[in-house]
Amino acid sequence: MAHDPEALIVADADGEVVGTVIAGFDGWRATLHRLAVHPAWRRRGVALALVAEGERRLLSRGAKRAGAIVVTDDASAVAFWTAAGYLVSPHLRRYRKDLVGKSF
Ligand SMILES: CC(C)(COP(=O)(O)OP(=O)(O)OC[C@H]1O[C@@H](n2cnc3c(N)ncnc32)[C@H](O)[C@@H]1OP(=O)(O)O)[C@@H](O)C(=O)NCCC(=O)NCCS
């Protein structure tokens, strides 16, 4: 919240948080992170509403395109992002490196 309060979006149902997403923008890439909806509230359009609000905020901050990192063997996640209009990027692959335990 202190770093970027606009980035954190929550879905509220009578004071209870039922869904979240973080809409991050580094000035170049815009990414929707940590999308999750409470199991009791799924398949009611909550995630679509969260993503739409994230996209609206990202566009207003200057982003031209949004992305999401999706676990490809999670069928519901893949189905959701496809339903939300996201396409697999053919020329990008995520690279990573573990930093814990590394000496500098
Ligand atoms: C994926 C997740 C966020 C979807 O939230 P949700 O609020 O249920 O999604 P919505 O109701 O907005 O779904 C919109 C559309 O996405 C698709 N969809 C969503 N969940 C789906 C599922 N489990 N199986 C198939 N399609 C699904 C459907 O097309 C759906 O429209 P419909 O209900 O009219 O058929 C939710 O299942 C979740 O929190 N999962 C665990 C965390 C997770 O996987 N997060 C994504 C990380 S990349």
Side-chain angles (χ1 to χ4, degrees):
M1 286 296 288
H3 175 68
D4 186 357
E6 277 288 296
L8 178 62
I9 305 166
V10 301
D12 177 293
D14 296 327
E16 182 191 5
V17 173
V18 299
T20 63
V21 72
I22 297 170
F25 185 47
D26 64 9
W28 181 250
R29 288 192 197 283
T31 309
L32 294 156
H33 304 273
R34 315 303 305 177
L35 175 69
V37 171
H38 189 288
W41 284 83
R42 290 182 188 167
R43 302 307 288 267
R44 301 194 212 182
V46 173
L48 279 180
L50 285 164
V51 166
E53 175 61 15
E55 292 167 346
R56 188 191 69 75
R57 294 187 190 189
L58 292 168
L59 183 67
S60 75
R61 296 171 74 183
K64 295 187 167 38
R65 185 179 299 117
I69 296 169
V70 181
V71 179
T72 53
D73 59 5
D74 182 336
S76 60
V78 170
F80 170 76
W81 287 105
T82 303
Y86 285 70
L87 304 171
V88 175
S89 182
H91 57 281
L92 287 180
R93 173 163 286 184
R94 189 171 188 224
Y95 279 60
R96 68 177 194 184
K97 181 179 183 180
D98 292 331
L99 301 180
V100 175
K102 178 176 164 54
S103 45
F104 292 91

